[in-house]
Amino acid sequence: MKNAAESINLNEIVETIRSVIETDSAIVPLHEPLFAGNEWQYVKECIDTRWVSSVGKYVDLFEEKLAEFTGVKRAVAVVNGTAALHICLKLVGVEQGDEVLMPALTFIATANAVSYCGAVPHFIDSEMNTLGVDAKKLRRYLSEIAEVKAEGCFNKKTGRRIKAVVPMHTFGHPVDLEGLVAVCEEFSLELIEDAAESLGSYYKGKHTGNWGRVTALSFNGNKVITTGGGGAILTNDPELGRLAKHLTTQAKLPHQWEFRHDMVGYNYRLPNINAALGCAQLETLPQFLAKKRNLAARYQAAFAKISGVTFVSESEHCTSNYWLNAILLQTEFSAKRDALLTLAHERGIMARPAWDLMYTLPMFSSFPRMDCPVAERIAASLINIPSSVNL
């Protein structure tokens, strides 16, 4: 009889992926964009009219349609998701020397944006069912290491103020937002949603981005919709929305010809030609989401029959956009992750692991963190598999 460590069949897993994606392509990308609507018409208009840079009708239209789709009061388009995160942190008052709580399991942009503020990333654990921040564990952790004063929440070990928490909706799966809102209220923390991956995802019927005071989106080429590069700031606070627009346009005051600026600003404007692409993509977003959820359902059904591996599904009360589909190897098989990745690539299937945990990177290794056994397990055993809309 084979022992458990020998019972997983890597060939079977790769063939299961191939059976679901139904494509004859020799190489299957992880996630590629699809342009099937008015993209060329809108971009050509920008070129023909020469409104290709930071001013033009498509920037305003993109912001308006994005706010309408997500249900927020204001959306501000910016040059990329990292810039959106940076401004979100500035908007809620993150200052040099503050600590900002974030998942150890995240894309590096989250930690980089905190560093741009001169603040300190403070890494926290995830939970298996959402792959995102574990609100219950975070509350227990803060009860041990934090003290709430009139000036805010402070780390008793470092003496620094803990200003905010930035949960990331991993691969489009919403985190426990109600739990995090309660933690933030108890410990006087600002909630910033890193929704870079969750356009089209809902928590208890409400689109992600409506729970934090501010939210960051990304429209990189591999996201659910793309503007080439690009991002956005979402908020339900009209004053913060106005300030976000001001900060991201060099803090320039309106004037017919003079260059007047009243604070340090940033050249984070999204060009009109990129916004034109985004407007066309937003028009087809509902169809994209339906196709992606259909693909996820097929994966889920196929992997239910395969031993040693689990397909990552949306949690209760959540509707995921399934931006990147993922499988988790059972713990006893995690050592075979790289062998599976190698085999998939040899068969033309572009799969990838999760990111390296932030505290394993040299520039962040000395920063504060809680024990992160769940994040470590996810990082060791998760594999993203092809998720393009056209599959």
Side-chain angles (χ1 to χ4, degrees):
M1 180 178 178
K2 292 184 178 181
N3 61 43
E6 295 174 338
S7 64
I8 192 170
N9 187 328
L10 302 187
N11 280 298
E12 184 181 38
I13 293 173
V14 173
E15 289 307 311
T16 298
I17 297 171
R18 267 287 178 188
S19 71
V20 169
I21 57 182
E22 296 179 347
T23 177
D24 296 327
S25 300
I27 304 297
V28 185
L30 185 66
H31 197 291
E32 62 181 348
L34 177 63
F35 304 114
N38 292 314
E39 288 87 355
W40 173 237
Q41 176 186 336
Y42 296 167
V43 169
K44 187 176 184 300
E45 181 185 333
C46 293
I47 295 171
D48 290 344
T49 61
R50 296 176 176 81
W51 290 103
V52 298
S53 193
S54 56
V55 178
K57 74 174 188 180
Y58 284 111
V59 175
D60 293 338
L61 183 61
F62 184 55
E63 292 179 342
E64 175 188 328
K65 294 299 183 183
L66 191 59
E68 180 182 328
F69 182 85
T70 58
V72 301
K73 292 181 179 178
R74 183 71 188 271
V76 176
V78 294
V79 70
N80 55 53
T82 309
L85 279 167
H86 182 201
I87 296 301
C88 283
L89 292 158
K90 301 283 288 185
L91 289 171
V92 303
V94 172
E95 299 176 351
Q96 184 169 351
D98 285 343
E99 292 182 11
V100 177
L101 299 159
M102 71 182 65
L105 181 71
T106 188
F107 181 57
I108 196 170
T110 318
N112 280 343
V114 170
S115 299
Y116 299 163
C117 297
V120 178
H122 186 150
F123 303 115
I124 54 182
D125 203 10
S126 300
E127 58 179 353
M128 288 301 301
N129 62 328
T130 68
L131 306 179
V133 170
D134 186 330
K136 294 183 177 65
K137 187 172 182 180
L138 176 59
R139 184 185 181 281
R140 293 193 299 270
Y141 177 67
L142 289 173
S143 297
E144 296 173 0
I145 65 104
E147 179 181 6
V148 179
K149 304 178 183 179
E151 302 84 6
C153 181
F154 289 82
N155 187 330
K156 292 187 288 187
K157 296 182 178 180
T158 65
R160 292 187 289 251
R161 181 175 66 165
I162 306 175
K163 180 62 177 177
V165 57
V166 188
M168 196 264 291
H169 303 301
T170 312
F171 310 133
H173 299 295
V175 300
D176 175 11
L177 284 163
E178 282 189 349
L180 284 172
V181 167
V183 170
C184 288
E185 290 175 349
E186 182 177 352
F187 290 94
S188 298
L189 300 171
E190 298 284 4
L191 178 61
I192 301 169
E193 289 182 62
D194 183 348
E197 302 172 0
S198 68
L199 181 65
S201 296
Y202 296 80
Y203 177 84
K204 294 193 173 182
K206 186 182 291 187
H207 198 286
T208 54
N210 280 278
W211 302 80
R213 193 170 173 209
V214 285
T215 295
L217 293 178
S218 171
F219 307 113
N220 188 37
N222 66 348
K223 294 301 191 295
V224 177
I225 67 167
T226 184
T227 56
I233 299 158
L234 306 181
T235 185
N236 284 307
D237 184 327
E239 179 57 28
L240 281 184
R242 185 205 65 78
L243 182 57
K245 190 70 172 179
H246 189 57
L247 282 173
T248 56
T249 53
Q250 298 281 29
K252 185 179 183 298
L253 297 171
H255 193 277
Q256 191 172 1
W257 62 79
E258 290 187 358
F259 291 90
R260 299 178 178 176
H261 307 263
D262 62 352
M263 59 198 307
V264 174
Y266 302 86
N267 187 17
Y268 284 171
R269 299 167 291 184
L270 183 71
N272 193 53
I273 195 168
N274 295 84
L277 193 63
C279 287
Q281 290 269 286
L282 270 177
E283 290 171 356
T284 51
L285 178 56
Q287 295 96 310
F288 285 2
L289 293 170
K291 289 176 180 289
K292 290 181 71 62
R293 288 183 60 80
N294 179 56
L295 177 63
R298 298 207 311 269
Y299 272 135
Q300 185 173 15
F303 278 105
K305 308 168 188 175
I306 308 302
S307 62
V309 62
T310 303
F311 179 75
V312 177
S313 301
E314 63 196 7
S315 299
E316 188 180 7
H317 307 305
C318 296
T319 302
S320 177
N321 65 10
Y322 286 100
W323 169 54
L324 284 186
N325 292 298
I327 55 175
L328 281 165
L329 301 180
Q330 291 179 7
T331 303
E332 60 266 33
F333 305 131
S334 60
K336 293 184 177 290
R337 186 200 69 178
D338 288 356
L340 179 55
L341 285 166
T342 299
L343 181 61
H345 279 252
E346 288 174 352
R347 303 279 178 85
I349 295 172
M350 300 295 102
R352 75 175 193 193
W355 314 280
D356 289 347
L357 298 181
M358 291 298 99
Y359 57 75
T360 68
L361 302 177
M363 57 283 200
F364 300 131
S365 60
S366 63
F367 290 159
R369 67 179 179 93
M370 67 162 70
D371 291 334
C372 297
V374 176
E376 289 173 359
R377 179 187 167 194
I378 294 170
S381 60
L382 184 139
I383 294 177
N384 288 123
I385 54 180
S387 305
S388 301
V389 171
N390 62 3
L391 296 178

